Amino acid sequence: MYDETTPVLIVGGGVVGLSTSLFLSAHGVRSVLVERHPGTAIHPRAWGWYPRTLELYRSVGLTDAIYAESAGFAGHVLNGKVESLTGREIHMSRIPDEEDVSDISPIERLVSLPQDRIEPLVLDRAYELGADIRFGAELVDLAQDDAGVTATVADRKTGTRRTIRAEYLVAADGTHSPIRERLGIRRHGRGVVRHQMSILFRADLTGPLAGRRFAICQVENDRVEGILGHDDSLGQGTLIVTYHPEKGERPEDFTDERCVELVRAAVGVPDLEVGLRSVMPWEMGALVAERFTDGRIFLVGDAAHVVPPVGGYGANTGIHDAHNLAWKLHAVLTGSASPTLLASYDAERHPVGVTVMTQAGLRLATRGGFATAEQKAAVRDTLMVTFGYVYDSSAVVAEPGDTVPAAPPGPGGVRSAALVDPRQLGGRPGTRAPHVWLRRDGKRISTLDLFGRRPVLLLGSAGEPWRAAATAAAKRLGVDLDVHRIGADLVEDDRPWHDTYGVTAQGAVLVRPDGFVCWRSPADAEPTESTVERVLTALLRP
């Protein structure tokens, strides 16, 4: 009846789809990814990768490759506005060094690396872990029922069609997501903010750059106005310009000849030898889907939320979507969790999508000079946006009298996520588990290195009575559970662990596979089997 079956089908092979495949593969979950294009992205697109995102990649063994690939961009620190690269400098400043967050993360700083350079790294690591990724394969039909999803996929070279039956489908198919549209899922938000054209080109920029290395370079003269970017080879660049459909302008107006002239005007060399690689129209928008799930289908990345690029939140947020979903699919597919756990994906990630879109929009208004005083006051630090979001779902055992601040409503009154200072997280359920340096067998590791495949129960130095209770409860429930006691198999290497996590030395904290705190013991809690069974059931079988 079907040509093949797979537990999970992923549609879309951008950085978020590839990350979904990578995270599932790291969990040992078999999946098939189909992408209509012949390979990974050639446009730079997203550029900066926040420490939280790198923590997720660190958990699957990818950060060393990212650091090596990004080394050539370390000196790209200028923020300038020029008439052209060879013309007058209108404004020039150095971007401040990224904040050192080594006190809260094993990742010290944001890393700059264009998306076209990071995607092959994600792809290679996914392949190493056994991923099945198929480029040049396009979804042409889709049907969902109570037991799964049936997809028809066409080979774009041969036209050959195959039916793939999957238990679940992840839609990572971009801003205009045909899957989202097929499902009739509406979006909320400001909509399209600006129509952009990205012109990807080859040219020798060594002379025009004259030793400068830009992170951001605005060009403005009587022939072109836009953003001009360059890579670390100084032989490739991207010119981004705005066009105006309301004035009758169309993408088709950007002929090869016109694009070459725009690049020459931006560089300031009239006879510059320019080789066009690609010209791509795109929309700067602010939109969030009204829901991220539909039965057995899940939206991630741009299919779920379109975020203005100010702040660089979009792709990072999509990768966080993928990580949140992957462990839940693994738990359900292996039988350790009930399918009801999957409802927490929308409950947790939808509010985050709303908050991130709102924060990016506030930054755009502030940068553009048209933000009100109230809007400026509502802008939150990037660390709060990327580290400090709070989950409120059935997969979190909230504490009585929890003091998480109420989040303002998003567009249309939809729920948004609360944000807290990541240096004040303190082990509160629903927040990212704090980073503390430990030593195991003489090797320095982070608490974050303990999380990934299964739930983890962390015990204080005097918390050994919890171990027997947890082991018995996990066995009866058929749940794989790791138990670590700080002060026994793990030794603190800096600040006290139990103080950082908000428990006593007799306490315990249950951390989910995605590194978010599910539950922590009250000061007077008895270490009983029934208590552990209750919180594991709340997490995995809500």
Side-chain angles (χ1 to χ4, degrees):
M1 185 176 182
Y2 312 115
D3 292 310
E4 59 182 304
T5 62
T6 184
V8 182
L9 176 64
I10 305 164
V11 180
V15 69
V16 174
L18 291 172
S19 296
T20 306
S21 176
L22 172 59
F23 295 140
L24 286 172
S25 298
H27 280 291
V29 175
R30 196 166 52 85
S31 66
V32 173
L33 183 152
V34 295
E35 164 57 50
R36 63 187 299 272
H37 290 102
T40 55
I42 64 171
H43 281 264
R45 298 184 182 180
W47 198 277
W49 309 99
Y50 282 104
R52 177 55 185 162
T53 303
L54 295 173
E55 288 178 355
L56 307 185
Y57 282 150
R58 185 175 190 262
S59 72
V60 292
L62 187 56
T63 46
D64 286 348
I66 292 174
Y67 289 147
E69 186 70 14
S70 64
F73 292 92
H76 292 220
V77 295
L78 292 180
N79 178 7
K81 184 174 184 179
V82 298
E83 288 186 343
S84 69
L85 286 186
T86 60
R88 180 173 65 93
E89 293 183 355
I90 301 170
H91 164 79
M92 192 70 64
S93 64
R94 179 188 171 93
I95 292 177
D97 291 339
E98 293 294 335
E99 182 176 359
D100 184 339
V101 295
S102 57
D103 58 326
I104 61 172
S105 174
I107 306 296
E108 292 184 358
R109 291 180 175 85
L110 175 147
V111 167
S112 293
L113 185 67
Q115 185 172 330
D116 62 312
R117 298 274 288 273
I118 201 172
E119 282 188 7
L121 304 181
V122 180
L123 175 65
D124 288 346
R125 183 59 179 149
Y127 278 147
E128 289 174 358
L129 296 178
D132 184 346
I133 297 171
R134 307 174 190 180
F135 291 102
E138 182 173 13
L139 179 78
V140 294
D141 198 12
L142 177 67
Q144 178 178 199
D145 55 53
D146 291 341
V149 178
T150 302
T152 303
V153 176
D155 185 303
R156 298 196 74 197
K157 283 187 177 179
T158 66
T160 303
R161 296 191 173 199
R162 293 177 61 82
T163 56
I164 302 176
R165 178 68 173 177
E167 295 182 58
Y168 298 98
L169 183 146
V170 180
D173 54 343
T175 301
H176 298 289
S177 177
I179 293 175
R180 185 193 63 238
E181 295 302 305
R182 179 189 289 267
L183 296 172
I185 298 176
R186 298 178 300 173
R187 293 187 290 175
H188 301 286
R190 181 179 171 184
V192 177
V193 176
R194 193 177 301 160
H195 294 269
Q196 305 281 83
M197 187 68 68
S198 285
I199 303 168
L200 182 64
F201 65 91
R202 290 191 182 94
D204 184 359
L205 300 177
T206 307
L209 283 168
R212 299 167 298 179
R213 300 292 182 268
F214 287 95
I216 303 170
C217 181
Q218 301 177 64
V219 295
E220 183 178 333
N221 57 56
D222 58 1
R223 296 171 62 194
V224 63
E225 183 176 344
I227 302 293
L228 180 62
H230 63 88
D231 72 355
D232 55 348
S233 74
L234 312 188
Q236 178 173 290
T238 304
L239 177 63
I240 302 173
V241 296
T242 301
Y243 69 97
H244 302 275
E246 72 278 8
K247 298 179 181 179
E249 297 176 353
R250 308 168 304 157
E252 294 84 357
D253 297 334
F254 289 82
T255 63
D256 288 356
E257 293 78 9
R258 182 183 179 191
C259 289
V260 168
E261 289 307 309
L262 289 173
V263 170
R264 287 172 173 168
V267 176
V269 179
D271 59 350
L272 182 70
E273 186 174 338
V274 177
L276 294 180
R277 292 193 62 203
S278 175
V279 179
M280 180 184 72
W282 56 281
E283 298 168 348
M284 181 189 296
L287 289 161
V288 174
E290 62 183 356
R291 64 183 187 278
F292 288 6
T293 63
D294 187 285
R296 290 173 172 262
I297 299 175
F298 305 89
L299 307 182
V300 296
D302 287 350
H305 41 73
V306 179
V307 178
V310 182
Y313 297 137
N316 286 273
T317 303
I319 293 165
H320 300 188
D321 294 341
H323 192 260
N324 179 286
L325 179 60
W327 78 267
K328 295 173 182 177
L329 286 171
H330 168 254
V332 171
L333 288 165
T334 56
S336 64
S338 163
T340 53
L341 171 65
L342 296 173
S344 67
Y345 171 69
D346 181 78
E348 293 178 351
R349 295 307 300 170
H350 188 266
V352 172
V354 172
T355 294
V356 169
M357 179 194 70
T358 302
Q359 284 296 313
L362 291 170
R363 283 179 171 268
L364 180 64
T366 300
R367 177 178 291 185
F370 50 86
T372 64
E374 183 180 8
Q375 288 174 321
K376 291 178 182 177
V379 175
R380 295 293 175 261
D381 181 84
T382 57
L383 290 186
M384 292 183 69
V385 177
T386 57
F387 271 114
Y389 49 81
V390 182
Y391 288 155
D392 178 12
S393 78
S394 61
V396 172
V397 181
E399 297 176 331
D402 195 347
T403 58
V404 174
V414 297
R415 187 163 66 105
S416 59
L419 296 176
V420 296
D421 183 343
R423 291 186 167 88
Q424 305 299 322
L425 292 179
R428 175 189 291 135
T431 65
R432 167 188 163 276
H435 154 70
V436 177
W437 285 117
L438 307 169
R439 285 200 177 270
R440 179 170 58 188
D441 299 328
K443 181 181 178 181
R444 199 181 202 214
I445 67 168
S446 168
T447 45
L448 274 58
D449 295 326
L450 303 173
F451 315 137
R453 289 292 297 273
R454 55 186 66 86
V456 173
L457 190 69
L458 296 178
L459 309 179
S461 57
E464 188 63 23
W466 284 103
R467 187 185 298 273
T471 301
K475 183 177 181 180
R476 183 162 59 250
L477 292 173
V479 172
D480 289 332
L481 176 69
D482 289 338
V483 182
H484 298 285
R485 180 162 69 91
I486 315 299
D489 50 334
L490 298 164
V491 179
E492 293 161 330
D493 198 45
D494 59 1
R495 60 190 187 274
W497 169 83
H498 62 274
D499 287 350
T500 305
Y501 276 70
V503 294
T504 66
Q506 294 78 32
V509 178
L510 181 66
V511 181
R512 309 181 336 176
D514 60 350
F516 273 71
V517 176
C518 170
W519 165 87
R520 61 182 176 182
S521 62
D524 58 351
E526 289 291 326
T528 63
E529 190 176 323
S530 61
T531 296
V532 179
E533 184 171 346
R534 174 178 61 83
V535 296
L536 284 175
T537 300
L539 170 62
L540 299 172
R541 296 161 192 180

